[in-house]
Amino acid sequence: MTTASDTRPDLDFCTELAQQLRVDSVVMSDRAGSGHPTSSMSAADLVAVLLGRHLRWDLQAPDDPHNDHLIFSKGHASPLYYAMLHAAGAIDEPELRTYRRLDSRLEGHPTPRMSPTDVATGSLGQGLPIGVGIALAAKELDKLPYRVWVLCGDSEMAEGSMWEAFQYAGWRGLDNLTAIIDVNRLGQTRETMLGHDLDAYAARVSAFGWHPVVVDGHDVAAIDRAYTEAQHTSGRPCAIIARTLKGRGVAAVEDKLGKHGKPLDDATAAVAELGGFRDLRVEVQRPDLGAELHRFTATGGTRPTWEVGTEGSTREAYGAALAWLGATREDVVALDGEVSNSTHSDEFASAEPDRYFEMFIAEQQMVAATVGLGVRGWTPFASTFGAFWARAYDFVRMAAVSRADLRLCGSHAGVAIGADGPSQMALEDLASMRAIHGSAVLHPSDANQVVPLMEEMADRGGITYLRVLRGTTTVRTPADERVHIGGSRTVRHDQDDEVTVLACGVTVDEAVDAADLLAAQGIGMRVVDCYSVKPLDADTVRRAAAETDALITVEDHRPEGGLGDAVLEALAAEPVRPQVHKLAVDVMPTSGTPEELMKAAGIDAEAIVALVHRVRTASEAHL
Amino acid sequence: MTTASDTRPDLDFCTELAQQLRVDSVVMSDRAGSGHPTSSMSAADLVAVLLGRHLRWDLQAPDDPHNDHLIFSKGHASPLYYAMLHAAGAIDEPELRTYRRLDSRLEGHPTPRMSPTDVATGSLGQGLPIGVGIALAAKELDKLPYRVWVLCGDSEMAEGSMWEAFQYAGWRGLDNLTAIIDVNRLGQTRETMLGHDLDAYAARVSAFGWHPVVVDGHDVAAIDRAYTEAQHTSGRPCAIIARTLKGRGVAAVEDKLGKHGKPLDDATAAVAELGGFRDLRVEVQRPDLGAELHRFTATGGTRPTWEVGTEGSTREAYGAALAWLGATREDVVALDGEVSNSTHSDEFASAEPDRYFEMFIAEQQMVAATVGLGVRGWTPFASTFGAFWARAYDFVRMAAVSRADLRLCGSHAGVAIGADGPSQMALEDLASMRAIHGSAVLHPSDANQVVPLMEEMADRGGITYLRVLRGTTTVRTPADERVHIGGSRTVRHDQDDEVTVLACGVTVDEAVDAADLLAAQGIGMRVVDCYSVKPLDADTVRRAAAETDALITVEDHRPEGGLGDAVLEALAAEPVRPQVHKLAVDVMPTSGTPEELMKAAGIDAEAIVALVHRVRTASEAHL
């Protein structure tokens, strides 16, 4: 295989390198007192040949767009990953000793704290779908020849998300993507469903449009040929299906059950059996800098606005603002889960077809692709029904660990969608998204609020969730009014207000209607539009708490974890606090009209008015 | 095909019946002003032949265990489903007119409110995995020959959860399960990835261990043969891959884009084109009552207990209590996501191997199987790491819509797991599970609390989540003390207590340590163990609020949606409330020891003591 001009280390070196990776994995786990050495040992030959002869990385310039990307989808093989980075010169010996210690970059499962790690892994089945996103960026956006390599475990092949990835990459023909499947046969407690039946794996990936290469994962020459074949495969991604042995190289653990996820009993003996310590270093192949990074051209566009007093739709505003952002920023891209005519991301798709990705009904792959595009510096917005983001909650959680920037739009919020019924209603989304570390959760009540919030989302780090409505609402916010993450809008107030209603989304209209009804009865009610549920505009909430006798929160969401809880949180440690009364959806909704369902859930204007009367009566009784 | 003794309606009847189902679907959607008639029309022939000649249902005895089960995984084809039930006599004409109206059982997507519907569908990709669970119950628990039929859409084949189902059913050889894939080519906005490439579908399901039957989905004779073939296929499940046309039978919509999810423009003309109204009725085939329902025998066992003052592990208690429940109740079964030696469900697996199901690393299929086993009256407990339930959040959400009883155990809660790092830490689980309608969320602090809580879980309706710890905690609860859902435990209190700490799980130990430290400084602190986070013991919380000057909540969870918010909720509308101070994990954790990480997150004893001092100082300054 080695030609005269080939300066790469030879296969004998790779064999030795693999043993070094095994030794380092054993020792690292032993020192830490935990870790997954046997899961590292099975893949050591695969990684050694990749690092030595095929991967193209400039570790001095980890952000160079020409670099290949390598993801350890089997993140528990972190000892192998760090041993590899050590061999490549990115981690020195003293740092290698810090594995799994507090403040070390060498966490139990890889995170981007350790350069050049793109994303956190450790929740299985996520690395390959994220790799699909990076490969997509390479082909369709960057238009660069870098490759994406993903080391997968065989246990994680049980995750449906892996098959979303196989399916999508096969459909797109992502021949710059290689999955390296370390088929070591053994899971945590037992043999996997397919064991060492490599042909079964090959048939599956082949049926999903991939080119399978079955190899002995401990034969470095065969591995080397497989990587070459992967790079020469055109029109379809390649899966290298490698037969390996867990714990390979140490008889006490090799191919044995009960050896998962713990240090070896006798690390010293294991090191000796592996041929002792080595100090091999690899000069990783540099990327090909020939091709130029592609960028789109912003064509400019008009910021969408709605006239105050008209009826507008926040989901239509999402589509319009997305198209406008796409027209004015060349880095903005969009994804949708086959509901783009519902979320209105189809406006972007029509205007910028080269920057739109149809992800079909595969929400996990959609979030993963969003993370992957973000790895390469693009600014993706992804949309589907708010209810269906629940499908990808673990991916959102892990995106936060990856320090990724996610911009997610969830449409069809709450019971206000009407006839389609509860399966389509986002009712837990505020709670689940608020709990994500560093997230922002936005729920605008009118179309004009959507535009500035999305403008800010485009530049915000971390996870941002925008919740929009199926129906229309009254446009109250002037297009030039400042609307921002962390802000709120006092819709009406008077110095005689007795009570404050804090609302968001569709319930703002209800609160205003209630205020009109109460005003006719001589009762003053302040209405605050909390379009930023997290971070909440705590100052405005506290001012309302100080200036009115009671607070009412009303939201088209479950009582737990939404606006009501955010308001309580803001007031929790205040010295003086009024009573807070929550209105939220505490029933299992059915089909019906939006009006009927909001009434049934007790979150409409009538419910607010009734609650105000009850609160006033109770308060008088108390006096 | 029809023999002399065959009393089933013939194929000509089925052809007419299919047209009736189309007509009814068109009219229902037209009356409702919404719905998915074209997605119903594509599958009408498939459903007509199934209903007329193959399905075995006693609609007068929907709970008879001998009945077949039919799931519309493509739940948006609800018009077809209700039209079918109408033809079978389960829905009369007036009720058919209530489709999608408030209070109607005929919701926009099917729910169990309409008998004999087993589960709610409408979030795509869930019906087939649930069907796998029912088929598993038939084979392994009930040991009855009933069959499970699942009507799937082709768009939902993009969901990874479908492939978890194909994979698991193929591996188990569930030949009592038939997937009927309505390949109508068109999604909501565009053609699916595979369009009408039936062979590609066949290759995929075949590679996953299924027997594929490719058929023209509008040829009733071919459909009939396919169903017969499915019933005669042994050792593997069968997938009928049917080429159909969306909107079949009405030229204005047939095989056309842009016709998804809305009534036809001219329903009257469509009805005429379909041959007008019919009033056909089907006598559905009765189930074979020959076989007897199998039940296991409870062998009895000893209730596990721990001695007060010892160190115990709540996850070990989960395993021990599960094994005990299995020994004393013949209806209890268990599932795990290939971490049974971590969650300790392996204790049950060893004791009751016939009632244990290894679900591998496929959490969506695990929840779906749990729902499916519950459909057949079994009492399943399912376990994995708490973090990984996020993978199946949409399935948990839909299980609530299905009115299913779920008993989920999530282990490895919070930063207290230590070195494995954030990918493995459940930190958002209390928030997401609390937001599920009708859920209970339990987080015991010691092993003796686990047993009575699980005993109660076994009989509780709805979704119950039990959160357990990786490490050990001090056993404080006597084994004979009453511990119950909705309860709490006042660990220490005195009439001079200045402050109350409300804790759960691992933070109870920290709170007690803090109380010891403060007691030495002459400061009295009450400690309440809120092992039932939802429902919270609001009375005890309110009493603490009335009797002490300040409340502190401390939890190994994100600040949003957990114990702190539950406590605020309980006090929100109280006339007088003390300040509430939350301690929770508001950092992105890394690896480290449990002690280091709890300290870094500010949820250890030291943090509690420091907060008490700050609160007292502020309070004095305020006076």
Side-chain angles (χ1 to χ4, degrees), chain B residues 234-406:
Chain B
S234 175
R236 43 177 50 195
C238 185
I240 294 169
I241 301 160
R243 184 187 196 280
T244 65
L245 298 179
K246 200 160 174 170
R248 165 75 171 192
V250 175
V253 296
E254 186 176 290
D255 200 31
K256 287 198 166 55
L257 269 174
K259 304 297 179 188
H260 179 91
K262 52 188 173 194
L264 272 53
D265 289 337
D266 189 340
T268 308
V271 170
E273 191 176 346
L274 291 164
F277 290 96
R278 292 163 185 80
D279 193 19
L280 304 174
R281 289 289 172 274
V282 178
E283 189 73 28
V284 184
Q285 302 292 305
R286 294 303 162 94
D288 174 2
L289 302 176
E292 204 177 318
L293 179 66
H294 169 262
R295 285 299 180 236
F296 295 91
T297 310
T299 54
T302 310
R303 185 185 174 94
T305 59
W306 286 259
E307 252 185 75
V308 170
T310 62
E311 285 289 297
S313 153
T314 53
R315 63 174 165 137
E316 281 181 31
Y318 174 75
L322 191 60
W324 169 66
L325 283 167
T328 53
R329 290 179 56 146
E330 64 278 5
D331 59 320
V332 168
V333 300
L335 307 87
D336 197 281
E338 233 294 58
V339 290
S340 62
N341 56 350
S342 293
T343 61
H344 290 279
S345 69
D346 58 357
E347 275 207 52
F348 182 98
S350 302
E352 312 287 350
D354 296 341
R355 285 188 268 152
Y356 174 78
F357 299 97
E358 177 53 61
M359 301 308 296
F360 301 93
I361 305 178
E363 294 79 9
Q364 297 184 94
Q365 177 58 72
M366 178 156 54
V367 172
T370 306
V371 171
L373 296 172
V375 161
R376 280 293 314 118
W378 296 90
T379 304
F381 284 75
S383 46
T384 185
F385 282 28
F388 303 139
W389 285 124
R391 202 58 159 266
Y393 190 44
D394 195 40
F395 282 70
V396 176
R397 177 182 81 83
M398 286 297 296
V401 182
S402 288
R403 283 71 172 170
D405 305 334
L406 281 188

Side-chain angles (χ1 to χ4, degrees), chain A residues 398-605:
Chain A
M398 285 298 296
V401 182
S402 289
R403 283 71 173 170
D405 305 333
L406 281 188
R407 299 161 199 88
L408 306 180
C409 172
S411 70
H412 293 66
V415 302
I417 69 163
D420 270 332
S423 65
Q424 318 293 305
M425 297 171 177
L427 283 168
E428 299 83 8
D429 55 333
L430 297 179
S432 56
M433 293 297 184
R434 276 183 71 236
I436 297 291
H437 183 64
S439 67
V441 177
L442 311 172
H443 189 23
S445 71
D446 77 33
N448 273 341
Q449 293 178 350
V450 174
V451 188
L453 290 174
M454 285 179 63
E455 207 174 358
E456 202 175 343
M457 276 173 87
D459 289 320
R460 183 178 185 274
I463 315 297
T464 311
Y465 178 63
L466 177 76
R467 187 191 212 220
V468 296
L469 299 165
R470 179 178 178 278
T472 61
T473 49
T474 305
V475 177
R476 292 194 176 80
T477 312
D480 59 356
E481 186 176 299
R482 181 164 183 247
V483 172
H484 62 104
I485 297 175
S488 71
R489 186 163 191 280
T490 301
V491 182
R492 52 192 287 166
H493 70 110
D494 198 289
Q495 61 186 37
D496 300 329
D497 289 338
E498 295 180 34
V499 59
T500 299
V501 172
L502 303 141
C504 56
V506 71
T507 59
V508 173
D509 274 1
E510 300 299 322
V512 170
D513 288 349
D516 287 341
L517 290 166
L518 289 167
Q521 299 165 12
I523 302 167
M525 187 168 81
R526 184 176 302 183
V527 176
V528 179
D529 177 352
C530 297
Y531 58 75
S532 179
V533 177
K534 178 188 176 187
L536 188 71
D537 181 357
D539 288 343
T540 297
V541 171
R542 290 183 192 129
R543 195 173 324 119
E547 294 174 0
T548 61
D549 301 331
L551 301 188
I552 293 172
T553 63
V554 54
E555 60 195 308
D556 195 354
H557 183 269
R558 295 296 179 200
E560 299 86 4
L563 175 64
D565 280 3
V567 166
L568 287 170
E569 156 89 30
L571 300 174
E574 286 296 285
V576 181
R577 300 166 300 289
Q579 288 178 305
V580 178
H581 303 271
K582 274 190 194 179
L583 293 176
V585 182
D586 205 10
V587 297
M588 181 54 74
T590 60
S591 288
T593 66
E595 296 71 26
E596 286 168 344
L597 295 178
M598 290 180 70
K599 181 184 168 73
I603 57 167
D604 64 352

Side-chain angles (χ1 to χ4, degrees), chain A residues 178-192:
Chain A
T178 306
I180 306 160
I181 309 171
D182 174 24
V183 184
N184 66 21
R185 189 180 74 84
L186 298 177
Q188 176 168 329
T189 68
R190 55 162 290 162
E191 191 176 55
T192 61

Side-chain angles (χ1 to χ4, degrees), chain A residues 100 108-109 122 124 159-160 164 188-189 338 341-342 363 391 397 420 424 569 573 577-579 582 591, chain B residues 100 108-109 122 124 159-160 164 188-189 338 341-342 363 391 420 423-424 569 573 577-579 582 591:
Chain A
R100 289 182 165 244
H109 294 77
L124 289 171
E159 284 286 10
E164 294 183 13
Q188 176 168 329
T189 68
E338 233 293 58
N341 56 351
S342 293
E363 295 79 9
R391 203 57 160 267
R397 176 183 81 83
D420 270 332
Q424 318 293 305
E569 156 89 30
R577 300 166 300 289
Q579 288 178 305
K582 274 190 194 179
S591 288
Chain B
R100 289 182 165 242
H109 295 76
L124 290 170
E159 285 285 9
E164 293 183 13
Q188 177 169 330
T189 69
E338 233 294 58
N341 56 350
S342 293
E363 294 79 9
R391 202 58 159 266
D420 270 333
S423 64
Q424 317 294 304
E569 157 89 29
R577 301 166 299 291
Q579 289 178 305
K582 274 190 196 178
S591 288

